[in-house]
Amino acid sequence: MLAPLHNARQAYLRLASAVGPLPLTLLVSLIAVTAIAWAFTLYQPFAMSASMGSAMGEMEGMAMEDMAMDSMAAGWSFAGLLIFVTVWTIMMVAMMLPAAAPMILIFAAAQARRDRHVAVPTWIFVAGYILVWAAAGLGAYVLDQAFTELLRSHASIDRIAWAPLALGITLILAGLYQFTPLKHVCLRQCRSPWGFVAQYWREGRTGAVNMGVRHGLYCLGCCWALFAVLTAVGMMSIAWMLSLTLVVFAEKVFPYGVRISAAVGASLIVTGLLVASGALQLPWRA
């Protein structure tokens, strides 16, 4: 019973001893970047709500069907891609940096033992990590636009009727993924920052980028299904953003992370079955 608590304590002491010699500015900057990303992420839903309320007031006489078609008419555009990927990347910084903090700090500690210049290589490592999530945002934009095009080309589809089934299937698939070997491999890498540094350490700034990208790929492999759920229910859902942030953090940092991952998977499957059957209603992306 006490073994997991002892292991957690030992891990904490190792992390604390590693972080000790690091420059205070590095720790403060990590906290500041995360806080700014969260401020922007939480501001967006309120700004969009206010903007939509104003637009509704100006377009009071327009039919709902016309408004829906207008909202989908933007289609593919470089500006749309840029905005989507920017918002997505900032959101990923907010949601993923807390869980990635142990890996970032241990990388910085390993760097400090080799060179007194720690901040620049560490931020290069973080940039490589974020680059992976930005690329994932590009893929999410393509899927989002393909989904919109499908709705436009099949105007007769009863979205209200099939939406619960689509959302339920997404939840079930995300839950099943929690039990796959790929999920376990990626989660193990994310939960073992010391082992990751020992196995994949590369010298220099190019090495820092390489390590950041590699760790980002493991994180993407670990969490992509959870963010597919976020995309399905709506990227601007504050409740889902906060919930998934806590889930990702618990999986990667808490002593019982593997069990938490399994519990989350089972919960997603049950919720998906209830949503698909109509027994439970959840808000979904419009």
Side-chain angles (χ1 to χ4, degrees), residues 160-210:
I160 301 301
W162 66 259
L165 179 60
L167 179 55
I169 291 174
T170 301
L171 289 165
I172 292 170
L173 292 177
L176 291 174
Y177 182 74
Q178 295 289 101
F179 299 97
T180 62
L182 179 58
K183 168 73 178 189
H184 293 159
V185 168
C186 293
L187 181 60
R188 184 166 60 249
Q189 289 289 343
C190 291
R191 288 181 54 81
S192 306
W194 290 99
F196 179 88
V197 168
Q199 184 176 359
Y200 297 114
W201 180 264
R202 300 291 185 273
E203 297 289 346
R205 297 183 178 184
T206 302
V209 172
N210 181 287

Side-chain angles (χ1 to χ4, degrees), residues 200-226:
Y200 297 114
W201 180 264
R202 300 291 185 273
E203 297 289 346
R205 297 183 178 184
T206 302
V209 172
N210 181 287
M211 292 179 67
V213 169
R214 187 183 294 271
H215 185 60
L217 289 172
Y218 277 123
C219 275
L220 180 62
C222 183
C223 304
W224 72 267
L226 297 176

Side-chain angles (χ1 to χ4, degrees), residues 44-59 64 67 71 236 286:
Q44 288 304 305
F46 295 108
M48 288 181 65
S49 237
S51 175
M52 288 178 65
S54 174
M56 286 294 292
E58 295 175 0
M59 304 166 67
M64 290 302 295
M67 292 176 63
S71 67
M236 293 295 106

Side-chain angles (χ1 to χ4, degrees), residues 29-245:
S29 60
L30 278 171
I31 295 172
V33 167
T34 304
I36 292 171
W38 265 113
F40 178 85
T41 300
L42 295 177
Y43 169 77
Q44 288 304 305
F46 295 108
M48 288 181 65
S49 237
S51 175
M52 288 178 65
S54 174
M56 286 294 292
E58 295 175 0
M59 304 166 67
E60 188 174 355
M62 181 179 292
M64 290 302 295
E65 292 82 2
D66 294 336
M67 292 176 63
M69 290 304 296
D70 286 347
S71 67
M72 293 190 297
W76 304 82
S77 71
F78 178 75
L81 169 65
L82 186 60
I83 293 172
F84 183 96
V85 173
T86 299
V87 172
W88 168 278
T89 302
I90 294 174
M91 186 172 68
M92 291 302 103
V93 169
M95 298 178 69
M96 297 304 297
L97 274 192
M103 179 69 250
I104 295 169
L105 295 177
I106 287 172
F107 172 87
Q111 178 66 29
R113 294 170 185 169
R114 294 164 169 81
D115 190 346
R116 63 187 181 88
H117 299 292
V118 176
V120 172
T122 301
W123 277 110
I124 291 175
F125 173 87
V126 174
Y129 178 82
I130 294 174
L131 180 63
V132 172
W133 285 104
L138 176 61
Y141 176 80
V142 172
L143 292 176
D144 180 80
Q145 289 300 315
F147 176 78
T148 301
E149 289 293 332
L150 176 65
L151 292 180
R152 291 182 62 191
S153 61
H154 296 78
S156 61
I157 293 178
D158 187 354
R159 298 171 67 189
I160 301 301
W162 66 259
L165 179 60
L167 179 55
I169 291 174
T170 301
L171 289 165
I172 292 170
L173 292 177
L176 291 174
Y177 182 74
Q178 295 289 101
F179 299 97
T180 62
L182 179 58
K183 168 73 178 189
H184 293 159
V185 168
C186 293
L187 181 60
R188 184 166 60 249
Q189 289 289 343
C190 291
R191 288 181 54 81
S192 306
W194 290 99
F196 179 88
V197 168
Q199 184 176 359
Y200 297 114
W201 180 264
R202 300 291 185 273
E203 297 289 346
R205 297 183 178 184
T206 302
V209 172
N210 181 287
M211 292 179 67
V213 169
R214 187 183 294 271
H215 185 60
L217 289 172
Y218 277 123
C219 275
L220 180 62
C222 183
C223 304
W224 72 267
L226 297 176
F227 289 109
V229 172
L230 180 62
T231 304
V233 298
M235 284 176 54
M236 293 295 106
S237 171
I238 295 176
W240 277 96
M241 281 191 288
L242 292 174
S243 298
L244 291 180
T245 300

